[in-house]
Amino acid sequence: MATSVPVTLPNGLTYEQPTGLFINNEFIPSSDGELIASINPSTEEVIAEVHAASIEDIDKAVISSRKAFKEVWKNYSIDGISRLLHKLADLFERDREILTSIEAADSGKPQISNASGDIDECVLQFRYYAGWADKRGGTVAEATSDKLGYIVHEPHGVCGQIIPWNYPLAMASWKIGPAIAAGNVIIIKLAENTPLSMLYVGKLIVEAGFPPGVINIVAGHGKIAGNAIATHPGIDKVAFTGSTLTGKSVMAAAAQTLKNVTLECGGKSPMIVFDDADIDQAVKWGHWGIMYNMGQNCSSTSRILIQDTIYDKFVDALVKYTKETYSVGDVYDATKHHGPVISKVQFDKILGYVESGKEQGATLAFGGKAPYEKGYFIEPTIFSDVTDEMKIWKEEIFGPVVCLSKFSTEEEALYRANDTTYGLGSAIFSADISRCLRVSRELDAGTVWINSSNDTSHRIPFGGFKMSGIGSELGQYGLDNYTLKKAIHVNIGSKL
């Protein structure tokens, strides 16, 4: 059965697309022959069909990974690990045009304004964690004439990683970088909607020189392949990014073998705009914080609380700015900054939320429609006069829909911002730095942006409070997810 097909993308680029399961540095067919169709959300047409991993295929991947860890990787040169990550970064830079073109077709990301930035992020992640590969050592806790006590940081071994469809390459890099730098081997399960770009990366992994089995990549259905990864006794740790609902399922499944679990889940992040804020900047950041990536961002600041004295001014300014930057269309057109949402399911769900907002009495200030007959395009959408009991205020929409509401006092803003089961991101806009620091301490969120929104950094940890997740990714803290701490007590002279 074929494990690659020639593909010509809508921008004219032709390349060979791997479609098999990438196990042991080879593309192989699935054991049961099941395929998943990858659909271009701009055209609603099939790009390619890829092999879907069965439980038996996950077993193959685990056998490959365990063999690689035990026989090769566990004692691999730390300098060699660093060089491999740098080489992978080099190859991402070299193949930027191919990777961004695939990502644009497969996920609906505008190639220049969106997918290109994801490649930059991947390169930064790989280079950053390449620098950490020889620094994971440990610490000395006690050193006396009688005793030496020290702690070493060891890899878990085989790590299962389940990545989402909204950032196929970027989210993979968030997990590959620290896991590999910490000395683990990995099995990555791709989202059903967006398998193509990471399967192409399989070729780059071979070219970079990674030993077989160190990085295995499989497409597959969550209920089959994802569940098999979460429950498999041969997998030592699971890292998941996706919805809170699925995160609960992963955690429950992993509990069967008491796996170490990292979860980065959903959000309904607030942005608070005080009356002394720079309104022009607050509007621009507010637009970016929800509309980037078509709102398909777990930390999107989708609830904006505006102080009542500037509320009308802010609403008018946001609508005006959105109209001026309104550019929905061809993802290969550099002048377009807003592509389609990922799928028909997501398209219908988002438009359902739009109807709910209107029915419950919110004011549709802008957008809310599908501008084209073909493709899953939705206009940037702004609801004003939203109240806390409305469905669009409480639930994660995961689309280009922002909810605006007014507040009077700092205490009210904080209460309403925190009145959610989520706790991923948050933002504050004010010229008063004392107030910003005070409010940031009171917000129940893993990240607080002051006078910005969703400007993450590969050096700074990212993680959620409450039902937005467990653990942090990125930065030095991201390495903690992938290491075990072993205490070693050396008796030098003490006698019983």
Side-chain angles (χ1 to χ4, degrees):
M1 190 179 294
T3 56
S4 68
V5 294
V7 169
T8 300
L9 298 174
N11 66 345
L13 187 146
T14 298
Y15 73 104
E16 191 71 16
Q17 172 65 53
T19 57
L21 308 172
F22 183 72
I23 297 176
N24 218 42
N25 277 14
E26 296 179 341
F27 290 100
I28 64 173
S30 57
S31 59
D32 58 9
E34 183 170 352
L35 301 174
I36 297 174
S38 177
I39 296 172
N40 184 332
S42 293
T43 65
E44 303 182 40
E45 297 173 354
V46 174
I47 306 168
E49 290 185 319
V50 303
H51 292 263
S54 65
I55 295 173
E56 181 182 336
D57 295 321
I58 299 302
D59 285 338
K60 291 178 184 176
V62 172
I63 291 169
S64 165
S65 292
R66 297 214 71 85
K67 186 175 189 298
F69 181 71
K70 182 179 179 180
E71 297 181 5
V72 179
W73 200 243
K74 194 172 184 179
N75 297 308
Y76 203 84
S77 158
I78 53 177
D79 292 324
I81 291 174
S82 180
R83 285 194 296 271
L84 287 171
L85 286 171
H86 275 301
K87 180 61 176 176
L88 190 57
D90 292 341
L91 295 174
F92 266 66
E93 290 183 315
R94 185 198 69 189
D95 286 3
R96 171 186 293 272
E97 178 69 17
I98 295 174
L99 290 168
T100 57
S101 294
I102 297 171
E103 201 82 321
D106 203 24
S107 71
K109 293 174 181 285
Q111 182 181 11
I112 303 303
S113 63
N114 195 316
S116 183
D118 287 3
I119 300 303
D120 292 338
E121 184 165 356
C122 293
V123 171
L124 288 171
Q125 294 290 347
F126 296 144
R127 297 210 188 284
Y128 176 80
Y129 284 109
W132 271 108
D134 63 351
K135 301 174 183 66
R136 63 178 189 250
T139 57
V140 174
E142 187 175 353
T144 69
S145 59
D146 291 328
K147 181 175 185 176
L148 171 65
Y150 63 100
I151 302 97
V152 294
H153 296 172
E154 295 189 349
H156 285 272
V158 180
C159 296
Q161 301 179 327
I162 303 171
I163 62 173
W165 48 258
N166 58 332
Y167 290 96
L169 290 172
M171 289 295 98
S173 75
W174 282 31
K175 291 175 170 54
I176 292 171
I180 292 297
N184 298 278
V185 296
I186 55 184
I187 301 168
I188 303 177
K189 205 287 282 186
L190 312 178
E192 294 94 318
N193 291 317
T194 55
L196 301 186
S197 57
M198 271 304 296
L199 286 176
Y200 180 89
V201 168
K203 298 199 293 186
L204 304 186
I205 288 167
V206 175
E207 186 176 351
F210 282 88
V214 172
I215 302 178
N216 289 323
I217 306 170
V218 299
H221 297 287
K223 290 183 178 180
I224 299 173
N227 186 67
I229 286 171
T231 58
H232 203 294
I235 293 178
D236 304 296
K237 180 205 166 46
V238 173
F240 167 83
T241 298
S243 72
T244 296
L245 182 63
T246 306
K248 289 180 183 179
S249 298
V250 169
M251 189 171 184
Q256 296 180 33
T257 50
L258 287 183
K259 285 180 178 50
N260 181 286
V261 176
T262 303
L263 303 175
E264 197 268 278
C265 299
K268 192 69 177 177
S269 301
M271 172 173 150
I272 303 172
V273 184
F274 290 99
D275 58 9
D276 63 343
D278 181 329
I279 292 182
D280 179 64
Q281 283 299 304
V283 163
K284 291 177 179 178
W285 280 108
H287 182 276
W288 165 269
I290 176 62
M291 300 307 173
Y292 181 74
N293 205 44
M294 293 67 72
Q296 299 169 135
N297 188 2
C298 49
S299 60
S300 290
T301 39
S302 54
R303 295 184 296 142
I304 303 184
L305 289 151
I306 307 115
Q307 199 148 24
D308 49 13
T309 51
I310 60 167
Y311 179 78
D312 292 336
K313 184 177 180 181
F314 184 93
V315 172
D316 291 344
L318 181 61
V319 170
K320 181 175 183 290
Y321 182 77
T322 302
K323 286 179 179 178
E324 290 171 351
T325 57
Y326 177 79
S327 58
V328 178
D330 182 2
V331 295
Y332 296 109
D333 182 345
T335 67
K336 304 298 182 184
H337 307 292
H338 197 89
V341 298
I342 188 64
S343 66
K344 182 68 163 60
V345 170
Q346 195 69 9
F347 176 82
D348 289 340
K349 177 185 173 185
I350 294 165
L351 291 180
Y353 275 110
V354 172
E355 290 306 309
S356 171
K358 292 189 289 187
E359 289 169 4
Q360 291 191 304
T363 300
L364 182 61
F366 184 78
K369 297 188 293 295
Y372 306 119
E373 290 185 5
K374 196 169 189 180
Y376 308 130
F377 295 90
I378 296 176
E379 296 173 324
T381 302
I382 301 170
F383 276 106
S384 60
D385 307 318
V386 182
T387 56
D388 294 16
E389 73 278 2
M390 292 181 182
K391 187 177 179 181
I392 58 172
W393 184 263
K394 294 189 295 183
E395 298 183 13
E396 184 178 35
I397 299 172
F398 221 66
V401 181
V402 66
C403 301
L404 311 182
S405 188
K406 68 177 69 171
F407 72 90
S408 297
T409 66
E410 181 180 309
E411 292 73 21
E412 178 195 350
L414 268 170
Y415 174 81
R416 294 176 63 198
N418 288 334
D419 188 22
T420 173
T421 58
Y422 296 111
L424 192 54
S426 59
I428 307 163
F429 282 80
S430 172
D432 183 345
I433 190 62
S434 295
R435 173 159 58 188
C436 289
L437 296 178
R438 181 174 65 248
V439 171
S440 70
R441 291 292 300 271
E442 297 300 321
L443 284 167
D444 299 333
T447 296
V448 180
W449 292 284
I450 295 176
N451 293 321
S452 68
S453 176
N454 280 272
D455 53 329
T456 57
S457 165
H458 57 284
R459 299 182 182 92
I460 300 174
F462 181 88
F465 290 4
K466 299 191 282 190
M467 292 183 72
S468 285
I470 297 173
S472 295
E473 296 186 290
L474 305 183
Q476 181 178 354
Y477 292 90
L479 287 166
D480 289 341
N481 295 326
Y482 293 101
T483 58
L484 296 165
K485 285 69 180 176
K486 178 183 287 184
I488 299 177
H489 300 256
V490 183
N491 183 3
I492 297 173
S494 179
K495 296 181 179 179
L496 289 175

